[in-house]
Amino acid sequence: MIGEGYWLNPANRNWVLVSRHELTMCDEARMNELGLDPRIIEAAQRISPYSPEGEDQLRRLGIKSGLIRVRDHGNYISVQFDAPATAEASLLRFVFEFFEATILWRPYIRVGNLRTNVETTYSWQEAFDQVVPPPQAAAE
């Protein structure tokens, strides 16, 4: 059973709960709430979310536009974004702040970066200890 999904905007630290990511990309009010650029919203509204191709295009459009896609899959949480490898730790710190605020926790986290085309599954503790060290530890 697939659980809750979210779009996160790390630029303004907003997030919205979604049932289906692709449908929410076409929802002007929800995307405005998230702070997405109006040009991206307009582009999304020209894509049909009711075909496999359209679903994928809309999800990619959101991710390529700077949003983070999060989905609870029961035993793990998937997190997808598009960023240089050097920005991953900062994005994942924001994601962990989101997890803490929403009390979302699962044993594993599957992180996928579309830019680097790398997907890695971490245990919660590995992700917490190694992937997203506190900002002062990352600077050392």
Side-chain angles (χ1 to χ4, degrees):
M1 175 77 176
I2 294 180
E4 295 178 334
Y6 296 87
W7 278 120
L8 284 60
N9 186 344
N12 61 15
R13 306 182 74 74
N14 289 340
W15 61 76
V16 294
L17 175 66
V18 305
S19 58
R20 292 180 50 197
H21 288 89
E22 65 279 1
L23 292 178
T24 306
M25 281 298 298
C26 297
D27 184 334
E28 184 175 4
R30 300 294 306 284
M31 290 294 100
N32 281 326
E33 178 184 343
L34 194 55
L36 197 61
D37 185 305
R39 295 170 295 184
I40 303 300
I41 298 169
E42 288 175 27
Q45 290 175 331
R46 291 192 292 268
I47 302 170
S48 172
Y50 301 108
S51 69
E53 297 83 17
E55 288 176 10
D56 189 51
Q57 286 175 354
L58 286 164
R59 290 177 190 148
R60 286 187 173 276
L61 177 63
I63 294 168
K64 293 284 190 177
S65 298
L67 300 180
I68 300 172
R69 182 173 178 247
V70 174
R71 173 66 73 189
D72 177 0
H73 293 272
N75 195 36
Y76 71 94
I77 300 168
S78 64
V79 175
Q80 295 175 310
F81 52 81
D82 180 271
T86 55
E88 285 186 16
S90 175
L91 288 175
L92 290 173
R93 276 192 296 277
F94 167 62
V95 169
F96 265 73
E97 290 170 13
F98 160 77
F99 289 160
E100 190 172 279
T102 57
I103 314 172
L104 185 60
W105 179 90
R106 295 293 178 260
Y108 300 98
I109 302 163
R110 184 172 296 159
V111 176
N113 185 340
L114 272 59
R115 175 103 32 113
T116 62
N117 202 29
V118 173
E119 183 175 273
T120 307
T121 301
Y122 300 98
S123 73
W124 186 268
Q125 196 62 52
E126 286 172 327
F128 192 76
D129 290 344
Q130 299 170 20
V131 180
V132 281
Q136 63 274 15
E140 295 174 358

